[in-house]
Amino acid sequence: MPIYQAEKITKQELKSTELGKTLLEKVTPKKELNKLAQFYIENYLTVTGNERFKTCGNYFEFLTNRELSVRKVHKSNSCGNRFCPLCTWNTAKKDAIKISVLLQAVREEKEQEFIMLTLTAPNCSPVNLKDEIDKFNKAFKKLFDRRNVKKVVNGYMRKLEITTDQEPKITKELYKKKQAYFKKRGLGENDSNPQYNTYNPHFHVILAVNKSYFNDTKIYISRDEWLEMWQECMDDERITQVDVRKVRSSEKSENGAVLEIAKYSAKGNEIYHSKAVFDVFYRALKGRQLLTYNGIFKEYLAKFKKGELDKYKKKDENEYTHLLQSFWKTSKYENVLRQLSKEELEEYNQRAKFIEESNEI
């Protein structure tokens, strides 16, 4: 195999390219966050686990072209830890493609429509978070064991998400975000925040239903009915909101639902806010199944894993002619570009045929 000369690519050369933007705006910040996270997680991991976490993302290989206008991850050293910012991001990108394929296949082959359901409850204290999630899981099972729900729901995909409020005072941004909540309590900017250091677990759920569901008043479940049932299952009348909406067949509506389910269970700026906050998230999320599939979606997930749904994956039409190798050095990536050999060109482009990661996340 002939050896093609490699050349270093500077940060300035990367800035205006598609691949450069990915490295500088997405990968690098997550690698920097990984450096912070390793100090938070070190007491929970073995010596080997700590080393894997610390060196995660130290090396990437991207398939690209000479102009760096196309990109695809070819290789990387990943630790696989769910609390690693880089691995969480990679998982979310892959989940987005998987969920998108499942929706398309189920819609076409089983003639299903979809509903986006969000179930929440009032915030809880850090010490009660684990118990609150357990309560959510039990209430969710009760809800979907109800006769009227079982009658119409043919399957679901469910994601657990947790948010936290770590603002002691009501900032301008926070007031704008939760204006109705603060107005109701007579609170304004710079007042003490009553939700400071509280946590909000909630479920994002995509439901599969028959097309006739939306036109059949005998089986249709209204938003108020969902709310009443969720209150009863949670045994909590303080719950005042559930969000229920049809997922339209439009790309915008479906992509929105996909991203709600595929995104992180905890935002990076929240889970890595401080060591104390990280400890709360870690103890609450460790060992839990964050994304679950039921019914028709579980059936089609098995098909996806066997490659039986590959026809629904978008085909990658790009031609990759070069390989960019990125090495983490202290606080940035150093990058070397080389042309693919004739053998690599054929092998790597064939391997890159189907898109495996979403660029939306």
Side-chain angles (χ1 to χ4, degrees):
M1 180 185 294
I3 299 175
Y4 291 85
Q5 185 175 359
E7 57 178 306
K8 285 189 176 180
I9 303 295
T10 66
K11 182 177 179 180
Q12 197 61 35
E13 291 174 298
L14 281 172
K15 273 186 175 181
S16 60
T17 68
E18 286 300 313
L19 176 51
K21 289 175 184 176
T22 297
L23 264 173
L24 297 173
E25 298 174 13
K26 292 186 176 181
V27 180
T28 299
K30 289 173 177 62
K31 178 58 184 173
E32 290 172 343
L33 195 55
N34 172 273
K35 291 168 65 179
L36 173 65
Q38 66 186 260
F39 291 109
Y40 293 167
I41 202 172
E42 59 183 352
N43 291 335
Y44 296 108
L45 301 179
T46 63
V47 173
T48 302
N50 269 301
E51 186 60 25
R52 282 175 56 81
F53 194 98
K54 181 180 180 180
T55 58
C56 183
N58 276 5
Y59 177 73
F60 279 95
E61 284 186 359
F62 294 93
L63 293 175
T64 187
N65 53 21
R66 183 62 189 84
E67 296 75 29
L68 307 182
S69 61
V70 295
R71 67 194 187 279
K72 180 167 241 177
V73 176
H74 179 61
K75 288 182 183 177
S76 68
N77 64 319
S78 302
C79 68
N81 191 297
R82 68 164 47 173
F83 296 96
C84 168
L86 283 159
C87 291
T88 301
W89 178 53
N90 286 330
T91 298
K93 291 193 295 176
K94 290 177 180 178
D95 282 345
I97 291 294
K98 177 168 59 182
I99 293 165
S100 181
V101 168
L102 292 180
L103 289 179
Q104 187 178 352
V106 170
R107 188 189 290 277
E108 292 187 14
E109 295 182 10
K110 294 295 186 178
E111 297 185 336
Q112 296 288 285
E113 295 288 348
F114 307 115
I115 299 168
M116 188 74 198
L117 172 67
T118 302
L119 300 170
T120 188
N123 289 17
C124 67
S125 67
V127 295
N128 290 329
L129 181 57
K130 281 186 68 175
D131 290 341
E132 186 72 1
I133 296 173
D134 290 339
K135 183 180 178 182
F136 262 68
N137 286 330
K138 291 175 183 177
F140 188 87
K141 186 177 185 306
K142 285 182 183 178
L143 178 62
F144 282 82
D145 279 343
R146 291 200 167 202
R147 185 180 303 172
N148 62 328
V149 175
K150 290 176 73 173
K151 189 175 181 179
V152 299
V153 175
N154 298 318
Y156 61 75
M157 290 184 280
R158 186 193 76 191
K159 182 66 174 280
L160 169 66
E161 182 182 7
I162 303 174
T163 57
T164 184
D165 193 334
Q166 294 297 320
E167 294 286 355
K169 298 286 186 180
I170 301 173
T171 62
K172 183 177 181 179
E173 294 76 15
L174 186 60
Y175 184 81
K176 186 176 180 180
K177 184 179 177 182
K178 301 180 179 180
Q179 188 171 351
Y181 172 84
F182 293 131
K183 265 189 173 181
K184 186 176 179 180
R185 287 155 182 79
L187 299 172
E189 291 179 32
N190 299 317
D191 286 336
S192 294
N193 179 11
Q195 293 191 322
Y196 169 60
N197 198 29
T198 61
Y199 293 75
N200 181 249
H202 50 280
F203 286 141
H204 294 292
V205 194
I206 295 179
L207 312 176
V209 296
N210 295 333
K211 286 187 175 181
S212 59
Y213 167 80
F214 296 99
N215 299 316
D216 191 338
T217 56
K218 292 180 181 179
I219 62 173
Y220 181 80
I221 304 173
S222 69
R223 180 262 180 196
D224 289 344
E225 288 174 307
W226 280 112
L227 174 58
E228 183 179 354
M229 289 190 295
W230 184 237
Q231 287 176 330
E232 291 172 355
C233 291
M234 283 287 285
D235 191 23
D236 191 345
E237 293 185 353
R238 297 176 303 156
I239 299 172
T240 59
Q241 296 292 326
V242 295
D243 190 76
V244 188
R245 60 188 68 187
K246 182 178 180 179
V247 179
R248 306 288 175 183
S249 57
S250 68
E251 184 176 353
K252 182 178 179 181
S253 178
E254 204 156 280
N255 283 349
V258 168
L259 294 178
E260 284 291 346
I261 300 292
K263 68 182 183 181
Y264 323 130
S265 285
K267 297 181 178 70
N269 64 329
E270 294 188 359
I271 190 172
Y272 308 115
H273 178 272
S274 67
K275 178 68 167 63
V277 170
F278 177 82
D279 287 344
V280 173
F281 274 104
Y282 186 89
R283 291 166 186 154
L285 293 175
K286 181 173 170 52
R288 292 190 186 274
Q289 195 171 0
L290 305 178
L291 177 58
T292 60
Y293 302 83
N294 168 272
I296 200 169
F297 287 123
K298 190 173 183 179
E299 173 192 339
Y300 269 73
L301 177 63
K303 290 176 180 282
F304 179 91
K305 291 177 178 178
K306 292 176 184 176
E308 296 175 10
L309 304 182
D310 283 354
K311 63 182 178 180
Y312 294 105
K313 293 180 180 178
K314 290 181 181 178
K315 194 172 180 180
D316 190 343
E317 302 291 352
N318 295 313
E319 182 182 12
Y320 299 101
T321 58
H322 287 66
L323 190 73
L324 185 79
Q325 297 174 307
S326 300
F327 308 86
W328 182 256
K329 302 290 185 181
T330 310
S331 61
K332 65 178 182 178
Y333 283 103
E334 292 185 2
N335 304 285
V336 177
L337 182 71
R338 72 167 177 83
Q339 188 177 351
L340 296 176
S341 69
K342 183 178 178 181
E343 293 83 356
E344 288 174 330
L345 189 70
E346 184 177 348
E347 178 190 347
Y348 293 176
N349 276 277
Q350 182 63 29
R351 196 186 302 175
K353 191 174 182 181
F354 291 107
I355 297 173
E356 298 289 346
E357 296 181 346
S358 169
N359 290 323
E360 300 298 319
I361 292 179

